[in-house]
Amino acid sequence: MGRKVFVIGIGPGGFGQLTLDAVAAMNEVDVFLVGDHVEDQPDLVWRRSELLRRHVQRPHRVITVLDPQREHPGDVDAGRLSTYSHILAGLPQDATVGFLAWGDPGLYDSILRVVDALRDTLAVDVTVIPGVSALQVLAAAHQIALNAGASVHITTGARLLSEYRPDLGDVVVMNDPDLACRGLVAEFPDTEVFWGAYLGTPDQVLANGPLRTVTDDLAALRSRLVDHHGWIQDTYLLRPVP
């Protein structure tokens, strides 16, 4: 039996999105390892700290690790892996460790790749606690069902233009600061977009409409929100015309 490790999904940012299973797991953790990026904004860091303050009732430590720039899907930075490995090796063997993952750990989060790579050098007993994903909150906020008679395809802004075709069905786009869907307007002007930012928080903003009428407004809205908040977390769904 190796060291007990939890990977806990904490939702996309709203305080009400933490599941009961997540709260129970957080209250078994002795040491939380949280990875921050240089581009992470104070509001996100505060939200994570506030979740711990509100829900963890036992003594615990928080160790913050400055992660490198965002990794490409499938990659694990060697320096990042070495840092986490050294920290874990230096903790008491009976200390339970918790990694906190925004949204759901199984959907567009790199921490599971890190934990899997740690198995090569450390004996770990891993439990993954699913979380509410931005995709779920987006669909609920727009009051729509996913896969409306078709499939669901999940991709990133960097891959959207090379992958998109209407027969994919609903296409969910994550991590798209350049709003790549603007490149689809000429060929697919009536494709409907369901967009949301700061999902599940009091700052939540939604937009919806055909690409041909909303993309320019979306780009301007995104820019205003970034200027106001200093950061943005957003995602959107593309739905082809029947």
Side-chain angles (χ1 to χ4, degrees), residues 98-119:
F99 292 90
L100 301 180
W102 290 111
D104 183 278
L107 182 63
Y108 205 76
D109 188 274
S110 63
I111 196 61
L112 282 181
R113 297 197 301 271
V114 172
V115 171
D116 191 52
L118 287 171
R119 299 178 198 267

Side-chain angles (χ1 to χ4, degrees), residues 1 3 11 14 16 34 53 61-62 71 82-83 94 104 117 121 128 152 156 180 185 191 215 217 220 226 229 234:
M1 181 70 69
R3 178 192 300 283
V34 296
R53 186 190 70 81
R61 296 167 56 197
V62 178
E71 299 163 330
S82 176
T83 298
D94 61 350
D104 183 278
T121 56
V128 178
V152 177
T156 64
V185 174
T191 293
T215 50
D217 289 341
V226 171
H229 293 282
D234 63 336

Side-chain angles (χ1 to χ4, degrees), residues 30-196:
D30 299 301
V31 179
F32 290 94
L33 294 183
V34 296
D36 284 345
H37 298 267
V38 292
E39 67 266 35
D40 283 347
Q41 297 299 318
D43 184 55
L44 282 176
V45 177
W46 172 78
R47 285 182 177 279
R48 186 182 58 209
S49 299
E50 185 66 6
L51 285 171
L52 293 175
R53 186 190 70 81
R54 292 187 183 193
H55 296 290
V56 180
Q57 307 298 320
R58 68 196 303 267
H60 63 276
R61 296 167 56 197
V62 178
I63 299 177
T64 302
V65 178
L66 184 61
D67 282 343
Q69 292 184 336
R70 306 290 181 183
E71 299 163 330
H72 296 291
D75 294 341
V76 177
D77 181 82
R80 181 188 190 197
L81 182 61
S82 176
T83 298
Y84 280 116
S85 180
H86 279 90
I87 292 173
L88 286 172
L91 295 175
Q93 187 55 42
D94 61 350
T96 296
V97 171
F99 292 90
L100 301 180
W102 290 111
D104 183 278
L107 182 63
Y108 205 76
D109 188 274
S110 63
I111 196 61
L112 282 181
R113 297 197 301 271
V114 172
V115 171
D116 191 52
L118 287 171
R119 299 178 198 267
D120 293 338
T121 56
L122 298 172
V124 289
D125 176 22
V126 179
T127 299
V128 178
I129 306 297
V132 176
S133 69
L135 167 57
Q136 294 169 280
V137 181
L138 177 73
H142 281 284
Q143 301 179 22
I144 59 173
L146 296 175
N147 74 307
S151 303
V152 177
H153 181 78
I154 301 174
T155 190
T156 64
R159 301 175 61 95
L160 176 64
L161 297 185
S162 64
E163 293 181 353
Y164 186 78
R165 59 183 194 275
D167 64 353
L168 289 173
D170 285 348
V171 174
V172 178
V173 185
M174 310 183 79
N175 191 27
D176 185 14
D178 299 321
L179 210 60
C181 61
R182 289 181 290 180
L184 300 174
V185 174
E187 190 173 1
F188 307 106
D190 294 319
T191 293
E192 192 169 11
V193 59
F194 298 87
W195 176 89

